[in-house]
């Protein structure tokens, strides 16, 4: 299987190089005056996805399993327990907790100007955007860096001497809760990001403090492992995104790193399982809110606001957008899965949607990277002067306080081409994973092919939508 996947990916890259997109000389979407209509890009991108699907049909037509691949082990238990590695782990943990506490302290005590305060750029630019880009490439390293988990582990192991709380809590996790805590948490997080006063350093520190206390409380109630897997939104988010990464970081029952191995990006996601519809809802909200973040900056959404805001106000209008976009995505996906169920006559829409949902993960990853590429490269430089003056008090600890942003670090043409490539490749990976998952649930290859046609249409539609969004001029509210 490993050889086939390598061959498939190589063929896809070849098709990308030879696709019509490559011959065009473009700027950066409409905001940079495309000399050739955007439709040329949409056609080229759609053809690339269709060709990738045809390659799958030709060269991946065996009933094979993704666990055939033997992952090369980079670090085993013996290496991890060595003294040098223990020193490195301790340093990483201390650094993570120090930065976490610095974020909280700067929010409470520092300048109220987000640009002059360490907390806002660190949370929104470096952590949310930056980690969201790096994690799908490297793997779920948040399970190593999570400061709340580190603090909780220290409390139960070193202070109260009750390591059992790492695995089990005072209560059994209620089945009725399922993953609803992460659904509501992510919606609330998205609301503060897009609508609320999330850039305020003081507001951020208050929210982080409340979130930390709440998380530690639930860890005691249901066990750290259980809460991280079902109730902690960011652990679940980074686990999903990190499953695309090249490193597989395994943990033992006490949440200690037991092994780090290499893997192909496709295999990590293909092995994930979706047990319930609520988890599907979470994934759709994740995809929908990322799209809304881009859509809310377009002239189309600006026109919608002009019509609605006079009656309902900005907050209600933006809140409505955060809810309605994921809802429309879910309805569309359910219709596609219902069509697949009718065509194949083998599985229910519920079975299909829970099986194929992770095939949408590369789309979320690709759009996140494409949407924020220029943002992280340019605005991410704000953290450089703040390293020397985190509170905004006029300090210059490391001599970087006078650093000026280099806005020429990436030009418009490079940003546009990079975004197109990233989005198209993300959708191609989605086609691959959808095909692998379809192989697992359908009985015949002919039925697998039938099941993939509606999904292919969905991929093409979302590719066009994503490219259209990033091509629109940014409208400042």
């Amino acid at each position: 299987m490993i050889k086939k996947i390598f061959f498939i990916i190589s063929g896809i890259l070849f098709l990308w190089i030879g696709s019509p997109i490559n011959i065009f000389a473009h700027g950066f979407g409409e905001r940079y005056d495309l000399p050739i209509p955007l439709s040329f890009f949409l056609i080229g991108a759609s053809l690339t996805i269709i060709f990738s699907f045809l390659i799958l049909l030709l060269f991946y037509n065996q009933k094979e399993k993704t666990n055939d691949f033997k992952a090369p082990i980079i670090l085993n238990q013996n290496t991890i327990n060595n003294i040098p590695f223990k020193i490195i782990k301790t340093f990483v943990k201390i650094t993570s907790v120090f930065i976490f506490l610095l974020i909280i302290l700067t929010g409470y005590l520092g300048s109220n100007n987000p640009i002059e305060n360490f907390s806002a750029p660190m949370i929104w630019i470096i952590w949310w955007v930056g980690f969201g880009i790096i994690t799908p490439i490297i793997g779920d390293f948040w399970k190593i860096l999570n400061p709340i988990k580190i603090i909780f582990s220290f409390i139960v192991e070193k202070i109260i001497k009750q390591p059992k709380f790492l695995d089990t809590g005072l209560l059994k996790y209620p089945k009725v809760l399922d993953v609803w805590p992460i659904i509501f948490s992510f919606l609330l997080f998205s609301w503060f990001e897009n609508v609320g006063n999330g850039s305020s350093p003081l507001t951020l520190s208050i929210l982080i403090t409340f979130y930390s206390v709440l998380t530690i409380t639930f860890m005691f109630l249901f066990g750290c492992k259980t809460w991280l897997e079902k109730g902690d939104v960011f652990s679940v988010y980074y686990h999903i995104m990190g499953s695309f990464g090249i490193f597989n970081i395994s943990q033992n029952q006490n949440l200690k790193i037991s092994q780090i191995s290499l893997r192909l990006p496709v295999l990590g996601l293909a092995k994930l399982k979706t047990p319930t519809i609520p988890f599907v809802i979470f994934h759709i909200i994740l995809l929908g809110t990322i799209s809304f973040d881009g859509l809310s900056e377009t002239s189309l959404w600006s026109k919608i606001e002009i019509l609605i805001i006079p009656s309902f106000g900005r907050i209600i209008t933006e809140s409505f957008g955060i809810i309605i976009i994921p809802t429309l995505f879910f309805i569309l996906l359910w219709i596609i899965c219902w069509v697949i169920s009718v065509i194949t006559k083998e599985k229910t829409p519920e079975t299909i949607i829970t099986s194929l949902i992770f095939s949408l993960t590369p789309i979320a990853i690709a759009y996140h990277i494409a949407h924020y590429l220029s943002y992280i490269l340019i605005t991410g430089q704000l953290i450089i002067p703040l390293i020397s003056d985190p509170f905004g008090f006029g300090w210059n600890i490391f001599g970087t306080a006078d650093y000026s942003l280099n806005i020429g670090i990436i030009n418009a043409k490079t940003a546009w081409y990079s975004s197109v490539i990233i989005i198209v490749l993300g959708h191609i990976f989605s086609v691959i994973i959808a095909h692998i998952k379809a192989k697992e649930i359908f009985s015949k290859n002919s039925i697998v092919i039938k099941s993939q046609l509606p999904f292919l249409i969905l991929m093409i539609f979302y590719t066009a939508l994503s490219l259209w969004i990033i091509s629109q001029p940014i409208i400042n509210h």
Side-chain angles (χ1 to χ4, degrees):
M1 176 183 172
I2 181 69
K3 292 181 180 179
K4 289 190 176 182
I5 292 181
F6 270 128
F7 189 82
I8 290 168
I9 295 175
S10 299
I12 288 168
L13 292 175
F14 173 78
L15 286 171
W16 166 254
I17 294 172
S19 70
I21 296 176
N22 230 22
I23 64 174
F24 299 148
H26 281 262
F28 191 85
E30 291 181 10
R31 60 180 92 163
Y32 296 104
D33 299 323
L34 278 173
I36 298 176
L38 178 64
S39 59
F40 280 61
F41 276 108
L42 303 184
I43 293 171
S46 300
L47 287 176
T48 304
I49 294 173
I50 293 171
F51 289 153
S52 69
F53 175 72
L54 294 176
I55 289 177
L56 283 170
L57 297 185
L58 291 173
F59 299 103
Y60 189 79
N61 56 6
Q62 302 293 321
K63 191 76 174 181
E64 302 183 63
K65 297 181 179 180
T66 56
N67 56 12
D68 292 342
F69 174 59
K70 303 298 181 182
I73 298 174
I74 305 300
L75 294 173
N76 56 29
Q77 189 67 62
N78 293 332
T79 307
I80 292 172
N81 289 331
N82 287 341
I83 293 178
F85 195 81
K86 284 185 177 181
I87 294 173
I88 294 173
K89 284 194 299 181
T90 302
F91 174 77
V92 170
K93 289 180 179 180
I94 292 174
T95 303
S96 178
V97 173
F98 173 78
I99 294 174
F100 176 70
L101 295 177
L102 181 62
I103 290 170
I104 296 175
L105 287 175
T106 53
Y108 281 123
L109 306 176
S111 170
N112 290 325
N113 186 342
I115 298 178
E116 297 177 355
N117 193 298
F118 181 78
S119 61
M122 187 64 199
I123 288 294
W124 293 118
I125 303 175
I126 304 302
W127 179 69
W128 179 240
V129 175
F131 277 36
I133 292 174
I134 297 173
T135 299
I137 299 172
I138 298 177
D140 182 18
F141 59 91
W142 179 244
K143 63 177 63 173
I144 299 175
L145 299 179
N146 187 343
I148 301 177
K149 173 189 165 187
I150 294 171
I151 293 171
F152 181 82
S153 298
F154 181 80
I155 293 173
V156 298
E157 290 182 321
K158 305 299 182 182
I159 299 179
I160 66 174
K161 308 291 184 181
Q162 295 289 334
K164 66 177 183 179
F165 284 109
L166 293 173
D167 186 43
T168 58
L170 298 172
L171 304 172
K172 187 176 181 181
Y173 188 83
K175 288 185 178 180
V176 68
L177 282 182
D178 205 305
V179 294
W180 288 108
I182 67 174
I183 292 175
F184 291 117
S185 297
F186 193 78
L187 282 173
L188 188 61
F189 175 79
S190 298
W191 186 86
F192 274 105
E193 179 192 10
N194 293 283
V195 183
N197 191 22
S199 62
S200 166
L202 179 59
T203 301
L204 273 177
S205 289
I206 293 173
L207 290 172
I208 293 170
T209 302
F210 178 75
Y211 170 76
S212 301
V213 172
L214 205 62
T215 299
I216 291 175
T217 300
F218 283 122
M219 285 178 173
F220 274 115
L221 286 176
F222 304 120
C224 183
K225 184 175 183 293
T226 300
W227 186 251
L228 290 177
E229 291 176 351
K230 296 183 177 181
D232 184 57
V233 60
F234 301 115
S235 294
V236 175
Y237 168 78
Y238 283 120
H239 175 67
I240 294 173
M241 295 298 169
S243 296
F244 192 85
I246 61 174
F247 293 105
N248 181 28
I249 303 172
S250 303
Q251 292 181 319
N252 58 25
Q253 191 173 12
N254 292 325
L255 303 181
K256 308 295 183 184
I257 303 301
S258 58
Q259 181 178 288
I260 299 178
S261 57
L262 279 174
R263 67 182 173 197
L264 284 174
V266 175
L267 298 187
L269 278 175
K271 290 182 178 180
L272 292 181
K273 303 295 182 182
T274 308
T276 59
I277 290 296
F279 201 96
V280 173
I281 294 173
F282 168 71
H283 206 290
I284 294 297
I285 291 173
L286 172 63
L287 186 64
T289 51
I290 291 175
S291 296
F292 174 73
D293 190 31
L295 181 65
S296 64
E297 297 174 342
T298 66
S299 58
L300 173 62
W301 184 255
S302 181
K303 293 175 182 177
I304 294 174
E305 286 187 327
I306 292 173
L307 293 174
I308 299 179
I309 284 180
S311 300
F312 299 98
R314 186 189 71 84
I315 292 179
I316 294 179
T317 303
E318 296 283 351
S319 301
F320 173 77
I322 291 175
I323 298 296
I324 194 63
I325 298 300
T327 301
L328 292 176
F329 276 29
F330 182 83
I331 293 173
L332 178 61
L333 182 60
W334 187 269
I335 291 173
I336 292 294
C337 291
W338 176 80
V339 171
I340 294 173
S341 178
V342 172
I343 292 174
T344 60
K345 299 178 181 180
E346 277 196 2
K347 303 293 180 179
T348 64
E350 181 176 348
T351 300
I352 295 170
I353 199 171
T354 53
S355 299
L356 298 182
I357 186 62
F358 283 120
S359 62
L360 298 179
T361 303
I363 297 177
I365 293 171
Y367 186 78
H368 180 89
I369 296 174
H371 179 61
Y372 289 118
L373 181 62
S374 298
Y375 179 79
I376 188 65
L377 291 177
I378 297 174
T379 317
Q381 298 173 59
L382 286 173
I383 204 68
I384 297 175
L386 292 173
I387 292 174
S388 291
D389 187 19
F391 290 88
F393 291 163
W395 298 347
N396 194 6
I397 300 173
F398 301 106
T400 62
D402 296 326
Y403 178 85
S404 298
L405 269 63
N406 177 14
I407 61 174
I409 194 170
I410 182 171
N411 60 43
K413 183 177 181 179
T414 301
W416 168 252
Y417 274 111
S418 299
S419 297
V420 172
I421 292 172
I422 290 167
I423 286 177
V424 173
L425 289 180
H427 284 74
I428 289 172
F429 276 120
S430 289
V431 171
I432 293 174
I433 295 172
H435 197 76
I436 292 174
K437 302 302 286 186
K439 284 280 187 178
E440 295 177 356
I441 62 173
F442 294 112
S443 59
K444 299 178 182 179
N445 192 57
S446 58
I447 296 179
V448 170
I449 296 173
K450 288 180 181 179
S451 73
Q452 293 300 282
L453 293 176
F455 219 77
L456 182 64
I457 295 173
L458 177 64
M459 297 295 180
I460 294 172
F461 165 77
Y462 198 74
T463 299
L465 177 64
S466 300
L467 290 177
W468 178 84
I469 289 176
I470 66 169
S471 73
Q472 299 305 297
I474 293 177
I475 303 296
N476 293 321
H477 298 282

